Amino acid sequence: MTRSLYVAAAQPYSGKSAVALGLYEHMLRRSADVAVFRPVVRSLSEPDPTVELLRSRGGVELDDSVYVGTTYADVHRSPDDALGQIMDRYRSLAGRATAVLVLGTDFTDVGAPAELQFNARVAANLGAPVLFVVTAHQRSPQEVRFAVDLANDVLTANHASLARVIVNRTHADRMESTRAAVAELDVPVDLLPDAPILLAPSVRRLTENIEGELLLGDPELLGREAQGVVVAAMTLPNVLDHLREGSIVITPGDRTDIVLAMLSAHRSETFPSLSGLILSGGLRPDEAVWRLIEGTGARLPVISTPLDTFATAAALAGARGGIHADSLTKIETALELVETSVDIEKVLDDLAVESVGAVTPLMFQYELVEQARSDPRRVVLPEGSEPRVLRAAATVLRRGMADLTLLGDEAEIRGVATDLGLDISDADIIDPTTSPMRESFAEEYQLLRAHKGVTLDAAADIVADVSYFGTLMVHRGLAQGMVSGAVHTTAHTIRPSFEIIKTRPGVSIVSSVFFMCLADRVLVYGDCAVNPNPTAEQLADIAISSADTAAQFGVVPRVAMLSYSTGASGSGADVERVRTATDLVTERRPDLSVEGPIQYDAAVDASVAQTKLPDSTVAGKATVFIFPDLNTGNNTYKAVQRSAGALAIGPVLQGLNKPVNDLSRGALVDDIVHTIAITAVQAQGEHR
């Protein structure tokens, strides 16, 4: 039987979407076969933004039309007919999902009482208990209680069941009084603190509202949220007093003093960072001043609008922004709020949403993050000024996954973070060129590489390089791991590790694995990134290291030593190399389940395994795949990634005394976050 939960509110901008996002994320961590359903949308021909947001996180993949019921226009014409259409669409979806999160209407179309009543009717007919979201913004605790009581009366009158209440946007000063006001309700109540950024519109949306044109600055920063509007129609000291973090400032384009001051304030460590600067009236500073501004390399969006100052302010007044699939900061904020304030596991337990044996990509990522958070370690990031790295760093710090040290010029790093609106205040920042540690690092490196003729002067130059400096921090125990490679080559990232950290005792070779997250399980592929043509002894090392890595991350290791032949069916130098490697693994680690030589189909397909190796404990259910060479491994992981839609996390380096991991230069922010988490977990293992 499909379980469902109906998320409803009684007014617009209640925070319903943020709550739904947090709930849906946790549902996905239990099962991949969950879905979102929206009974009423604007149009059946255009995607609903909230549905698209939740679907972007995962769940069952069906035709777009299945996830929505009917339109507001249909409800107006005939509520009963609309309800029938909703029921039909819901049944079609529910039959293909283990659990469905139903997201109620947005209250921007009809009067609240009638709309809540219709939501109650839908919930009752779907048999879905209601989670009611009420905003505490500009409400007293007593008014919050009254709103809940009124909603409960409407739900009860329409035979819907109120299962839980979430009070959103609760001011810190009213948290306890609000909790006391709702304490006597017969249903569980959770309070979420206010997070204004969730309703803040993006600079891009505001630019569209005023027919604006980007004159200067980084187009990527148009995605930043504008958390307030300041009209600079006063003297400069008064303008400065009104600046707040994330404000967008409106000023006539010919107010050169204001323009220059705002650009300076944005980069100043003593003032809040701005989200944008709007030049009204179609005006701009004179040519000489504009050349000066352009020469600063300012990344803050400077936008021109033909509207005058008053019309611009009016157009921006009251603008709100929702959460969309590309709203990374809002998504992270919403997930954190719900996760820390709502007993989501209890909600899902009450719905009888069961965890399944399968491990989805989202489940694996969640467990990875939770494992990192359980015992945070310090990770050094040599590419401290790279925007992707900084975005990842802000996420890691916010979620408490690791302590971080960023390397590079401190002013540059803080400047980029300011431009991006990122909080990296909890990170340490070290400039290797000016650090007092440079001298002792040079001395240590010279001793380590004296046999190669490295002098102290040469060592001083070498350790100023961020990769060498970061590696020495790990070597010295000043950090427990390092992640680099977003802008540096693989060689630049890992060569210092070979020279300084070196391999673990009993391990002859550094290798790598990818975690291949398929729809229902996680496999480990090695080596796909480092060793072109490993010997039998090296293959054995790679297999043992890969099995240990798999176990560290919750994957039960069943090792398949891959070849073009299975068992004794083939011969040749390549097959014999794999056979020898398999024997070495068995000899050195008799505790491991290993099979080889074995073909890929026999390793993963139970029916093939039954034919070729019926008595094997690995065939048909292998979890760790060791490829005979880099050519095979690299091509296979990419083929599976692209053709099967697998999430590939890695490469994860293994065999070093301490964890260092390399990023792809095309790495996305999420890739960097996951690699930092992996490095932190590896560091935990080093200290147990």
Side-chain angles (χ1 to χ4, degrees):
M1 178 182 175
T2 301
R3 307 290 180 176
S4 60
L5 179 67
Y6 199 106
V7 182
Q11 65 182 94
Y13 309 113
S14 61
K16 184 170 74 276
S17 296
V19 171
L21 176 63
L23 289 169
Y24 192 72
E25 190 91 356
H26 274 260
M27 291 168 70
L28 285 169
R29 294 169 188 174
R30 293 195 176 197
S31 171
D33 296 326
V34 299
V36 59
F37 181 72
R38 193 124 204 224
V40 188
V41 293
R42 298 281 161 208
S43 168
L44 296 179
S45 60
E46 298 179 2
D48 179 81
T50 308
V51 171
E52 292 304 294
L53 167 66
L54 268 60
R55 287 182 63 193
S56 72
R57 312 301 293 181
V60 295
E61 282 295 330
L62 302 168
D63 185 78
D64 292 352
S65 63
V66 177
Y67 300 96
V68 296
T70 189
T71 66
Y72 283 98
D74 288 336
V75 174
H76 291 322
R77 277 193 294 271
S78 175
D80 290 339
D81 289 347
L83 183 57
Q85 186 174 339
I86 291 169
M87 294 292 296
D88 289 341
R89 291 283 183 89
Y90 174 80
R91 290 192 186 102
S92 176
L93 175 62
R96 288 174 277 187
T98 59
V100 179
L101 186 69
V102 186
L103 192 58
T105 57
D106 57 17
F107 282 82
T108 59
D109 191 81
V110 299
E115 193 160 349
L116 181 59
Q117 184 181 35
F118 186 77
N119 278 272
R121 289 184 63 196
V122 175
N125 280 275
L126 299 183
V130 175
L131 186 150
F132 183 70
V133 182
V134 58
T135 179
H137 183 60
Q138 296 182 337
R139 277 178 168 161
S140 69
Q142 292 72 30
E143 289 171 330
V144 171
R145 173 61 187 265
F146 178 76
V148 175
D149 285 338
L150 182 62
N152 192 32
D153 289 343
V154 173
L155 294 171
T156 302
N158 289 275
H159 312 291
S161 170
L162 179 62
R164 199 175 195 93
V165 173
I166 292 182
V167 182
N168 193 29
R169 301 195 68 188
T170 310
H171 195 277
D173 294 342
R174 291 185 171 181
M175 191 70 72
E176 292 307 316
S177 56
T178 302
R179 194 182 306 279
V182 298
E184 297 179 0
L185 291 171
D186 293 332
V187 295
V189 181
D190 300 297
L191 275 64
L192 270 60
D194 193 14
I197 193 172
L198 293 177
L199 288 173
S202 68
V203 177
R204 180 176 288 103
R205 178 178 174 183
L206 296 184
T207 302
E208 293 169 352
N209 286 357
I210 58 173
E211 302 173 12
E213 176 190 359
L214 180 66
L215 297 179
L216 187 72
D218 189 343
E220 279 194 16
L221 299 185
L222 294 174
R224 185 180 177 185
E225 291 77 18
Q227 300 184 60
V229 178
V230 175
V231 180
M234 59 198 84
T235 61
L236 180 57
N238 288 322
V239 174
L240 294 173
D241 284 342
H242 282 79
L243 298 182
R244 300 291 183 268
E245 186 69 27
S247 295
I248 191 166
V249 177
I250 305 171
T251 188
D254 58 355
R255 286 290 305 271
T256 301
D257 57 332
I258 298 292
V259 173
L260 291 173
M262 294 303 98
L263 292 172
S264 298
H266 174 68
R267 299 307 300 266
S268 172
E269 293 185 10
T270 57
F271 280 86
S273 73
L274 305 177
S275 61
L277 177 62
I278 297 175
L279 309 184
S280 61
L283 304 171
R284 58 192 290 178
D286 64 41
E287 186 178 346
V289 174
W290 191 249
R291 281 205 317 272
L292 173 64
I293 293 171
E294 287 181 317
T296 66
R299 300 180 68 203
L300 179 72
V302 180
I303 298 153
S304 174
T305 175
L307 305 179
D308 62 36
T309 301
F310 178 81
T312 301
L316 302 188
R320 298 176 185 264
I323 308 176
H324 303 282
D326 59 351
S327 307
L328 300 182
T329 302
K330 288 186 177 182
I331 289 172
E332 285 289 339
T333 302
L335 292 176
E336 184 179 3
L337 275 178
V338 176
E339 188 165 312
T340 56
S341 303
V342 181
D343 189 354
I344 302 179
E345 296 305 311
K346 179 64 166 59
V347 175
L348 300 185
D349 287 344
D350 290 345
L351 286 175
V353 177
E354 298 180 356
S355 297
V356 296
V359 179
T360 68
L362 189 65
M363 293 176 191
F364 182 76
Q365 292 172 61
Y366 172 72
E367 292 300 329
L368 176 62
V369 170
E370 289 302 297
Q371 196 171 345
R373 292 175 65 179
S374 69
D375 187 15
R377 298 290 173 175
R378 180 164 294 279
V379 178
V380 59
L381 306 177
E383 300 158 327
S385 60
E386 163 60 32
R388 290 169 295 159
V389 171
L390 282 173
R391 291 185 187 277
T395 296
V396 168
L397 292 169
R398 184 167 57 247
R399 301 180 71 177
M401 296 158 54
D403 300 319
L404 297 179
T405 298
L406 304 172
L407 301 185
D409 179 83
E410 183 169 2
E412 181 183 5
I413 291 172
R414 295 198 183 281
V416 175
T418 295
D419 286 340
L420 297 173
L422 302 173
D423 180 8
I424 58 166
S425 56
D426 289 336
D428 293 338
I429 301 177
I430 299 175
D431 186 344
T433 63
T434 60
S435 171
M437 293 185 286
R438 182 178 176 181
E439 183 177 351
S440 66
F441 280 8
E443 292 172 353
E444 183 151 2
Y445 183 75
Q446 191 272 329
L447 289 173
L448 289 169
R449 304 296 290 174
H451 65 288
K452 293 291 186 179
V454 175
T455 65
L456 186 59
D457 286 343
D461 290 336
I462 290 170
V463 302
D465 179 275
V466 289
S467 292
Y468 278 91
F469 194 94
T471 303
L472 281 158
M473 286 188 67
V474 176
H475 179 63
R476 283 271 190 94
L478 301 172
Q480 285 76 56
M482 184 177 90
V483 174
S484 189
V487 295
H488 292 104
T489 65
T490 294
H492 195 142
T493 298
I494 66 177
R495 183 185 296 116
S497 303
F498 296 158
E499 297 177 2
I500 299 167
I501 294 176
K502 302 182 178 174
T503 57
R504 239 188 265 148
V507 177
S508 66
I509 191 171
V510 174
S511 59
S512 72
V513 296
F514 279 87
F515 290 101
M516 303 300 295
C517 302
L518 305 177
D520 59 351
R521 55 189 160 155
V522 176
L523 306 177
V524 177
Y525 285 8
D527 177 4
C528 304
V530 179
N531 299 289
N533 292 291
T535 65
E537 290 75 15
Q538 291 171 333
L539 271 179
D541 262 3
I542 294 169
I544 291 170
S545 294
S546 300
D548 289 342
T549 299
Q552 188 176 14
F553 290 90
V555 178
V556 177
R558 293 185 290 272
V559 184
M561 307 293 288
L562 296 174
S563 175
Y564 60 78
S565 172
T566 295
S569 66
S571 61
D574 290 338
V575 176
E576 291 306 317
R577 178 166 56 93
V578 174
R579 183 172 286 115
T580 300
T582 305
D583 291 340
L584 288 170
V585 173
T586 302
E587 179 184 329
R588 291 167 54 186
R589 288 289 299 275
D591 59 303
L592 290 178
S593 296
V594 60
E595 185 70 65
I598 186 172
Q599 293 163 287
Y600 194 97
D601 59 347
V604 298
D605 191 308
S607 61
V608 177
Q610 185 61 35
T611 301
K612 294 188 175 184
L613 291 171
D615 299 323
S616 173
T617 60
V618 173
K621 49 189 175 185
T623 57
V624 179
F625 298 78
I626 306 304
F627 295 93
D629 54 64
L630 184 60
N631 183 50
T632 307
N634 191 269
N635 278 293
T636 302
Y637 107 76
K638 288 179 178 176
V640 173
Q641 179 188 31
R642 302 298 180 185
S643 300
L647 172 68
I649 299 178
V652 179
L653 295 185
Q654 53 191 16
L656 290 166
N657 267 316
K658 295 183 179 180
V660 172
N661 281 305
D662 177 42
L663 298 165
S664 162
R665 275 174 281 178
L668 303 177
V669 173
D670 278 350
D671 299 328
I672 301 172
V673 170
H674 295 144
T675 303
I676 294 172
I678 283 172
T679 306
V681 172
Q682 287 178 310
Q684 293 171 354
E686 297 292 331
H687 289 75
R688 287 175 182 156

